[in-house]
Amino acid sequence: MEKVVIRNGAVELAQAHTPQAKANWVVVKVHAAPMCTEYKTFRAGRDAEFLGHEAAGEVVEVAQPGRVKVGDRVVVMPTYPCGTCSLCVAGDLIHCEHGADVHAFTGSPEGTATYAQYLIKQDFMLPAIPDGMSYERASLACCALGPSFGAFDLMGVSAFDTVLITGLGPVGMGAVANARFRNARVLAVESHPWRAERALAMGAEAVLDPRDPATPARLKELTRGVGVDCALDCSGTVPAQRMCIDAARRKGKVAFVGECSDELAIRISPDMIRKGLTLIGSWHYNINLFPKILQVIERSPLLDLLVSNVMPMRDVKKAFDLQLTGESSKIILQPWA
Ligand SMILES: [Zn+2]
Ligand SMILES: [Zn+2]
């Protein structure tokens, strides 16, 4: 099979062994592979043999009867959780601390990348795609719509809420789609003009520039001095995290889905106690919410805007270059095009 690699700093297609089904691990033929954070590896000039964690495709080989069969169309959920710990049983597979060692189990490191024609996955990580839904659309149930869906579910975002979204990469753009699906009022913060314009087209009421010192005051103004009901940071930057906390109203809620390992200073009295703030860390979403995400995919009128490009996998270099310009929302690779 073909897969994407970065070798000596160059992105290219390479031949790799096709994975083989074993126990409840099945082989999926990848039809849609959304691009996510892999551009950071490309940008840093680091080599990589296994790229990507989002996919939708068709089950082509099973080793035993189980939850899926050959021919099933499925979304491929990220990571390789154990499937049996209390978090996994509760549907919080993404938070499993006992992830499987794919190489040790299958005898090969191949099959974990989604920028590839085939991958291997446990059958319980493969929820079904409804008839009539394309692979490209279904793949939005991974990181395009997933992180913000999980966070909005935890915050209970509804039509009563004004939601602040900081950072309008593909995850932030997915957050705009999810917030609008819930009929919430959306205010956003983003400096890139292409992204700001795209979010406005998707129904954000205002997109403010984080570099403008007037932005915090403007957020207050837009909420009649009260502050936003909910805020979601998708940027993974400390200043944006702080902006979310400061912009939230008393008894408001702030969730974080943007990955970041830098320290954020929290002042317990003004930020938490006096304010009654709820801070929520959220990664992906509980698998039991999958049917609801499908409803967003089936009914949201904004998804043509959420996906900016669908490209053959062989054009992956062009796709990375496009991601680096910032002038894209979600880009989906097609390994068989
Ligand atoms: Zn587990
Ligand atoms: Zn992702």
Side-chain angles (χ1 to χ4, degrees), residues 81-85 88 96 98:
C82 75
T84 54
C85 72
C88 282
C96 176
H98 313 285

